[in-house]
């Protein structure tokens, strides 16, 4: 496995608070980076190929998220989420939510069995997942963006769209 990414939740929050699109993603898949100047070129096929390799790795072990190329590729796609087809955005969100769920289950199991040696490691993976969600544009939180289909349906957190 590649080196683990050095993730700092505080640094991630700084980008979120200033400009989420300025988040550096130097290790993102080169084909994604080629679309940075024109995000409209992000095709479903390209995105699926990138996400499928990430899903395969994380299915083997949740630690796959800590690979710099996978983490940065996900961050890249999240930065340009407004350009992603609904199907690709849904797949990306499913990947993040599934990762959060698996890590929460692992930590819960460790706490229940008094195996606290790995908690710090899993805490960092959880912070990475949460950092990805936190760094997203406000439209995800409310689902009120008029530029495309609402990924949450017509009713989100008490707001009708």
């Amino acid at each position: 496995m590649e080196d683990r990414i050095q993730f700092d939740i505080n640094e991630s929050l700084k980008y979120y608070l200033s400009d989420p699109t300025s988040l550096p993603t130097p290790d993102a898949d080169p084909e994604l980076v080629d679309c940075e100047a024109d995000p409209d070129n992000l095709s479903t096929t390209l995105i699926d190929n990138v996400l499928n390799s990430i899903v395969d790795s994380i299915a083997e072990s949740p630690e796959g998220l800590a690979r710099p190329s996978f983490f940065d590729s996900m961050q890249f796609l999240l930065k340009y989420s407004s350009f992603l087809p609904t199907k690709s955005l849904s797949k990306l969100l499913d990947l993040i939510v599934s990762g959060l769920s698996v890590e929460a289950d692992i930590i819960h199991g460790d706490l229940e069995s008094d195996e606290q040696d790995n908690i710090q490691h899993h805490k960092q993976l959880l912070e990475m997942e949460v950092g990805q969600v936190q760094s997203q544009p406000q439209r995800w939180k409310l689902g009120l963006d008029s530029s495309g289909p609402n990924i949450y349906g017509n009713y989100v957190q008490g707001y009708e769209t």
Side-chain angles (χ1 to χ4, degrees):
M1 181 184 265
E2 295 177 41
D3 293 334
R4 289 177 53 91
I5 192 160
Q6 298 301 314
F7 179 77
D8 179 357
I9 188 115
N10 294 317
E11 187 71 21
S12 177
L13 288 173
K14 286 178 189 175
Y15 282 106
Y16 168 72
L17 294 172
S18 63
D19 179 13
T21 61
S22 68
L23 183 70
T25 54
D27 294 314
D29 186 285
E31 289 187 63
L32 291 176
V33 176
D34 289 345
C35 297
E36 193 156 24
D38 188 7
D40 286 324
N41 289 333
L42 289 167
S43 68
T44 302
T45 303
L46 169 60
I47 296 165
D48 282 350
N49 288 339
V50 171
L51 288 178
N52 286 342
S53 63
I54 296 170
V55 167
D56 290 345
S57 176
I58 293 175
E60 290 177 25
S61 168
E63 293 184 33
L65 175 65
R67 292 176 70 175
S69 61
F70 290 163
F71 188 77
D72 279 1
S73 290
M74 289 177 67
Q75 289 289 94
F76 182 94
L77 291 170
L78 291 168
K79 281 194 316 188
Y80 294 103
S81 62
S82 61
F83 294 91
L84 300 184
T86 304
K87 179 183 174 199
S88 298
L89 185 57
S90 177
K91 188 173 186 174
L92 180 59
L93 289 173
D94 184 52
L95 177 58
I96 293 169
V97 171
S98 296
L100 278 168
S101 176
V102 167
E103 281 304 314
D105 288 345
I106 290 171
I107 288 177
H108 178 75
D110 286 350
L111 289 172
E112 291 290 314
S113 65
D114 289 329
E115 299 212 14
Q116 309 219 351
D117 297 340
N118 293 326
I119 289 180
Q120 186 61 33
H121 169 72
H122 292 292
K123 177 184 173 215
Q124 183 182 24
L125 290 172
L126 269 175
E127 286 178 349
M128 291 169 71
E129 296 277 3
V130 169
Q132 288 183 327
V133 173
Q134 184 64 35
S135 69
Q136 290 325 291
Q138 196 64 20
R139 72 179 189 96
W140 276 28
K141 293 189 177 106
L142 299 177
L144 300 175
D145 185 28
S146 62
S147 67
N150 183 327
I151 60 170
Y152 297 112
N154 292 329
Y155 190 78
V156 180
Q157 299 178 359
Y159 294 95
E160 289 188 46
T161 59

